[in-house]
Every structure is written in C-alpha cells, then in structure tokens.
Amino acid sequence: MWKHIFFILALVMLLSGVSAAAADEADATDSRQHTACLSGSGGPLPVFSPAGELTRADAAGMLRVLLNESEEAVILHDKISDQCNAWFTQMIQGGPEGEADFQPEEPLTRAEFIRCLTCFFPLRTDGELFVDVAETHADAPFIRSAEACGWVQGDENGCFRPDDRITRVEAVVMFNRVTGRVPDRTYIDQTRPFFYRDVTPANWYYYEVMEAAVPHEFHSVDGAEQWDSHLPQPSEPETGFYLIDEQFYYYDGEKQDILRNETYEILRFSASGQCFAESPRMNTKMRKMLAEEPDLTLIDLEERLAESAAAEWSLILINGSNSLPEGFAVPELSTLDNGYQIDSRVYPALQSMLEGARAAGYHPMVCSAYRTDDKQTTLHRQKVNYYLSRGYSRDRAAEAAAFWVARPGTSEHQAGLAADIVDSGYPVLNRSQENRPVQKWLMEHCAEYGFILRYPTTKSDLTGVGYEPWHYRYVGIEAAEEIMSRGICLEEYLGES
C-alpha cells in the first residue's frame, strides 16, 4: 500500500534535499527555518481539524519536510536498515488487494505513521513495547525504536493503539518530537501567529499545532528554540459575523479569535464559538437579521434583538412551570363595558373581535379578564376546598385544583392578556361551550385578531391545564395565525420558533 509514498519521497529527495553547504551556512548564522509540515483548511475562518484523520498525502508532505530539516535523518538508498528495506520492497509491490494506486486520501494507522518516520533513522532495539503491541506485530520494531527515542508514549493504560487511525494532532506531536521542534510559547502568546477556529490556547495541543503549522525563523538559545519571525496567514479574518455550516460565529479582530464562552444580554457564544440567542424564537430572528444584513456589528445585533424582545410582550409564557416575573405589573388596564379590565394594549383587539362576532349575529360576553393576586388566590382556594370536601388529601387537592384554576402567580389572567368569553345565552364554564355558535365563530376567527384558544382539548399534557373552550389569550396576529392553523399550543410555538 506504500508504493506511491516511496515514489513521492524519492522525488522529494531530488527536489528538496538540503545541501551540506546550506547546512553549514545555517550553522554559521545560527538562524534556521521551520516550514509548515501540516496546515489547516482555508476559508473565512480556517480550521485545523485536530481530531481528523491523517491521510497518506498528509504523511507524504510531512516526510518531505522531515527530509529537508532533520540533520539526523538517514538518506535512503543503501543506508536504510534491512527491516526498512523489506517494508519498502513490500510497498513497491502494490497497495491493498494488489492495487498499485497511491490512494492519497486513505487514512494511516498510528503504527504505519511511526513506520514512516523511523525509516529515516537507525532503528534502536533498546526500547520497550507497549502492552497492546505484540512482538509479532508487523510494526513492532519501529514502535520499539520510537519508544526508545522518546517519540511516542502510551496512554494511561500503557497502550499504544497501533492499529487505530492516527489523528492530525497526534501526527503533529510525533513529528515535532522526531524533528526536535519545541514551540516558543512566549513568542506564540505575544503574537498569536495563526488563527484556527478549532484550535485555541485552551487546547493542550495549541502550541504543538502552532509549531507545526506556522512557517517561522528561529535561533537556538541554550538549546531552546526562540522564534525571530513568522510568516503571517494569507489573510486575517475581519471583525464580524460568519456563517459556516449553518452556524454563526463572531470573529473579534482585537482578540484575534472568535468569541467563545461569552454571554451578552441576549446572545450566547458556546465553547466552540457557535452563536445563539437566548431563546429559539430569538435565535430565528437573529438568523433572519444576519441573513438580511450580514455586516451587522455585534452591538447592532444585540440592540435589534433587545428591541424585538421588548416588542414581544404578548408572548410571555405563563403556566405552572413559568410564574409571572417577580414584581410584574400590567403597564396599564382598560375597562370593558361590563366592568372587567384587560391590558390596554390588548383592549382594541378584544373589542374588535367582540364586534366581529356581534356583526356575524352572535352574542359573546366576557365573564372574566384581568385578576388581581387576591382574586386568583380566592378562586384557587375555593377549588382546593372543593376537592378537600370530596376526600382528597391536601396535596392531591392542590394538584387537582391547579388543573382547572391556576395557582396564584401562574395565571394568564393576572398578566391582563386573557379573557374568558362565553355565549351570553349560556354563561356556564363547562365543555358544552364548545358547541355554542359564538364559540365556533371565535375558534375559527380569533387568530385574525391576535387571539388563540389557549387550552385546547388535546394539549393538557403540555399546558398543564384542562380543556377550556372559553379561555382566549392574546399573542399577536402573526403568532396566533401560526398557532391556530397548525393546531399547536403556546408552549409548542415558543419552544420551536
């Protein structure tokens, strides 16, 4: 399977070998260069893919750099050991199942990559094998030599996992050890030479990746590598939002990184940089805003989302699990003809709906609207007492009562957004209301005025409230039309939009 790697390496040696004169010159000036042995992908926010698989083409490129930079690497031909010769002979004969193609995108195992690296150095036999590497393993000599040189280590269980596919970051760490590359952490911290969306200073392999991926000049001080300069990225990302793989990221030019683990008033940034709004609904609005204006700044987006959230006062979720906010007060109340009150912002829509029903020949009547906390407390206590009188325990009575009369602080009536509407000819709150002509009209037309039937008969498991074919809640026309046309409840709408 290694035939084409051999051919590429042979070509590499012809085209990119370091002459003795060049090496002498480097020693004289004590200034050297490290080229990139493995780079990431391009794009507006490039990635290194540290957990990705190393391909044969990747390995061939890394070996080319090894030939150019390592002073200890043995030039192939007659200096290679017998064991390595046998491997190269096998490689020349063809790939798996007799295929002779190089297959550049095929992944390598950890053992195969170590074999590639150690073939350029005299094999050592004084190393120890790992617990999961048998003496009979085809690559045991190479793994033993690599262990003796300190190029590889086992995991917490003393295993090497020779037949696992090697990741790009594992390959980088091995390569750096083999070539003696030691990243200059001080320089890297000061300059942040390269940006990769999936490699940050918080990653244990950050400096190893910088050493491998950033072309740089350095000199040695007491055996330690000190960078003098580096080759910048072709183009640094500009500050702003980026849409990649259906996810939004924000690159901060001052920080030279995307925002991670950041929390703003409405926006949130995950550890890997994905941007989310505080709710699914706001997230949908955020994506729509950025799709229409991709150049929006972080501050502008935050302000617009805050304005949008403030405008959605009618979509507050109030149920047994979501109480009214502490200190909540209806901004202003308007009084209906029969004395009931409702949020002044809802009043015009409610009046229009009642007038529409009357114009159609029906006789709707509001029998409850805004309630004070005292009123809600009284109604709930009466329901609890009803169940107590029927032999329920207090806990069971309170639970059963809440299914029909919300506990104080969890009623939409207290928010001034709901009204109980019945047929004036049948002012009774029971299931029979659904058969009254006025209710049939309201259920068909309420969304046109921004109202929904809040507690449908099939949604009690989500709303926590029994079927009430008289309870209408204002949510705004856009939301109401979607909720009623789809046959969903408010909990479902707010949970997915």
Side-chain angles (χ1 to χ4, degrees), residues 391-408:
Y392 284 57
S393 68
R394 181 158 294 278
D395 287 344
R396 281 194 61 206
E399 182 179 353
F403 192 68
W404 297 108
V405 179
R407 294 182 176 90

Side-chain angles (χ1 to χ4, degrees), residues 166-180:
I166 190 169
T167 66
R168 290 165 56 85
V169 74
E170 288 173 339
V172 158
V173 172
M174 291 182 188
F175 182 89
N176 286 346
R177 289 174 182 167
V178 169
T179 57

Side-chain angles (χ1 to χ4, degrees), residues 183 196 220 368 416 437 473:
Y196 286 121
S220 296
S368 183
R473 155 72 190 267

Side-chain angles (χ1 to χ4, degrees), residues 353-373:
M353 184 167 69
L354 296 174
E355 290 170 2
R358 294 181 185 121
Y362 306 111
H363 304 283
M365 180 181 75
V366 175
C367 63
S368 183
Y370 170 72
R371 297 174 189 164
T372 64
D373 188 73

Side-chain angles (χ1 to χ4, degrees), residues 368 371 376 379-384 386-387 390 392 396-408 410-413 420 429-432 455-457 460 463-471:
S368 183
R371 297 174 189 164
Q376 190 66 31
L379 293 173
H380 182 260
R381 185 185 303 119
Q382 289 174 348
K383 202 66 173 178
V384 170
Y386 166 78
Y387 284 108
R390 297 175 66 88
Y392 284 57
R396 281 194 61 206
E399 182 179 353
F403 192 68
W404 297 108
V405 179
R407 294 182 176 90
T410 66
S411 171
E412 294 186 331
H413 286 287
D420 292 341
L429 298 181
N430 61 28
R431 191 179 183 115
S432 296
Y455 304 119
T457 182
S460 294
T463 64
V465 178
Y467 177 40
E468 294 187 357
W470 57 82
H471 183 108

